[in-house]
Amino acid sequence: MTEQSPAYRALALQTRCDAVNGLGVDAAREQMQQSIKRIGRQVMASKGFVGQDTRLIVLPEYFLTSFPMGESIPEWSALAALQQNGPEYEALGKVAQDAKVFLSGNAYEVDPHFPDLYFQTSFIINDSGDIVLRYRRLQSLFAPSPWDVWDRYLEHYGEDGVFPVADTELGKLATIASEEILYPEIARALGARGAEVFLHSTSEVGSPTLTPKDVGKRARAFENNAYLVSANSAGIAGIAIPEASTDGMSKIVDFNGLVQCEAGYGETMVANAELDLGALRRWRRRPGMQNMLARQKSGIFAGVYGDDHGRNALLDGKGQPVVPDRAHFIKAQQGRIAKLQRDKLI
């Protein structure tokens, strides 16, 4: 990327999620394609209305499928997980290419190195339709994560693949998956690698009052002097949970933690604002109390964060991945709670 200071509009597109739970595999795949067509129309119409300087659009978490509700790992993988070069990514790439935007979102995805598992993956597709970043969610309570197969994962991807940052014409972009906005270490790791814009795909409880995630959005932006573009679901249709439980809250936060725009409820393009990378870079290069990125002394905390709990939990004695049942994840958390109690930390 050249040393330019671009300014452009970003949009957190609050769009409905049509769940695939309860469908057959063929019907689920067809519904995903129909969802992509609907979203493609919304992307084009939103850019036409907001302005042609709209260059970046973020979609909600698992916007094509919703989340598993009792399905086993193999069942959900077959029903809802995308292949890395599969037809869903191809269709999303065409949406980005046709609209001439960078498109970010979050999906369940099969990794060819771990074919019996899936990871929750945040992605960025550039305006040529190419995937320029893949990030696998690290903090996940009920799904596999890279930490569960850590040694093998690092063999394939290295640390750059764990905390990826894409250096693009729109600045240095990174993704944060949903609930991970509550973990400051993840945003800090990405900020330490130069991330200027956090793309946050989420599907969270909507509320007229501040929620933990909503506080987290402001805090992560301020702590790292970075923009944050957060897109929430406009409800999840097709499951028993009341549809509008995950609705509203989409917003853009600037590098001082100030909310620039915020969506109400329903499908909407209201959460759009200009990102001024020149202003952000000037701020980061300016000494002062609020230059949080430059003030951080990360080495202080190295000893505190040296806990290996759960590492390689899904590798067998020969270092091969194993497929867990759903009970594995809650048992692992119960074990962690028991250890904290034994250590008199809770």
Side-chain angles (χ1 to χ4, degrees):
M1 186 189 72
T2 58
E3 182 57 26
Q4 297 176 340
S5 299
Y8 57 88
R9 294 198 80 78
L11 165 64
L13 183 60
Q14 192 166 282
T15 188
R16 184 184 76 250
C17 171
D18 290 325
V20 300
N21 309 74
L23 300 179
V25 171
D26 290 343
R29 298 292 160 174
E30 174 58 26
Q31 181 168 289
M32 288 185 214
Q33 290 291 340
Q34 293 303 316
S35 292
I36 294 171
K37 289 178 181 177
R38 170 176 54 82
I39 290 167
R41 293 191 295 269
Q42 292 176 337
V43 165
M44 291 294 288
S46 296
K47 180 173 180 176
F49 192 91
V50 172
Q52 292 305 307
D53 57 344
T54 303
R55 300 289 312 282
L56 172 64
I57 295 180
V58 180
L59 302 174
E61 183 185 18
Y62 44 64
F63 61 98
L64 292 178
T65 61
S66 186
F67 56 91
M69 299 182 69
E71 294 91 349
S72 68
I73 299 291
E75 287 171 341
W76 190 250
S77 182
L79 184 68
L82 310 189
Q83 298 292 330
Q84 286 192 4
N85 297 309
E88 295 86 9
Y89 278 128
E90 182 179 354
L92 288 166
K94 190 169 189 312
V95 170
Q97 192 172 24
D98 289 348
K100 296 181 175 58
V101 298
F102 279 58
L103 189 67
S104 182
N106 177 277
Y108 296 94
E109 182 184 85
V110 174
D111 186 310
H113 298 297
F114 304 94
D116 295 327
L117 303 176
Y118 61 74
F119 298 116
Q120 197 176 344
T121 300
S122 293
F123 59 83
I124 302 173
I125 301 173
N126 69 12
D127 53 6
S128 296
D130 302 317
I131 295 179
V132 296
L133 181 144
R134 270 191 172 91
Y135 165 78
R136 270 60 183 273
R137 179 171 168 171
L138 296 168
Q139 294 282 1
S140 186
L141 181 56
F142 293 116
S145 87
W147 185 242
D148 295 315
V149 290
W150 192 245
D151 291 349
R152 290 284 303 277
Y153 199 87
L154 290 180
E155 285 178 13
H156 294 297
Y157 296 107
E159 288 192 3
D160 287 343
V162 175
F163 294 109
V165 176
D167 193 357
T168 77
E169 63 194 85
L170 302 187
K172 294 179 180 177
L173 309 180
T175 59
I176 298 175
S178 185
E179 187 196 26
E180 289 190 322
I181 202 69
L182 298 174
Y183 294 86
E185 299 84 359
I186 289 172
R188 177 66 73 193
L190 296 168
R193 289 176 171 265
E196 297 172 311
V197 185
F198 295 138
L199 312 182
H200 179 230
S201 296
T202 184
S203 187
E204 64 187 69
V205 172
S207 173
T209 60
L210 279 175
T211 64
K213 279 190 179 181
D214 218 33
V215 172
K217 296 172 192 180
R218 294 161 166 81
R220 304 297 86 83
F222 173 73
E223 291 162 355
N224 296 283
N225 300 132
Y227 282 106
L228 183 138
V229 184
S230 178
N232 192 24
S233 305
I236 301 178
I239 57 176
I241 293 173
E243 183 172 333
S245 297
T246 56
D247 200 350
M249 316 293 282
S250 298
K251 58 176 49 64
I252 295 177
V253 185
D254 77 1
F255 49 87
N256 282 309
L258 301 176
V259 175
Q260 302 298 291
C261 57
E262 181 171 1
Y265 297 107
E267 293 195 303
T268 177
M269 60 184 182
V270 165
N272 71 86
E274 183 179 73
L275 308 190
D276 186 345
L277 272 292
L280 179 148
R281 290 168 186 170
R282 288 192 299 273
W283 187 259
R284 284 184 167 189
R285 293 166 183 166
R286 174 181 177 272
M289 291 288 290
Q290 290 185 304
N291 191 332
M292 303 302 292
L293 196 61
R295 292 181 61 198
Q296 178 65 276
K297 298 176 177 64
S298 300
I300 294 171
F301 311 105
V304 177
Y305 287 123
D307 187 353
D308 273 354
H309 171 74
R311 176 173 174 168
N312 295 324
L314 296 183
L315 294 182
D316 65 17
K318 297 180 179 179
Q320 298 301 309
V322 297
V323 179
D325 58 25
R326 289 293 180 192
H328 162 86
F329 300 104
I330 196 66
K331 288 178 182 176
Q333 189 186 35
Q334 289 170 337
R336 176 61 168 168
I337 292 170
K339 182 180 184 303
L340 292 171
Q341 287 179 304
R342 288 194 302 273
D343 295 342
K344 296 183 173 18
L345 297 176
I346 60 173

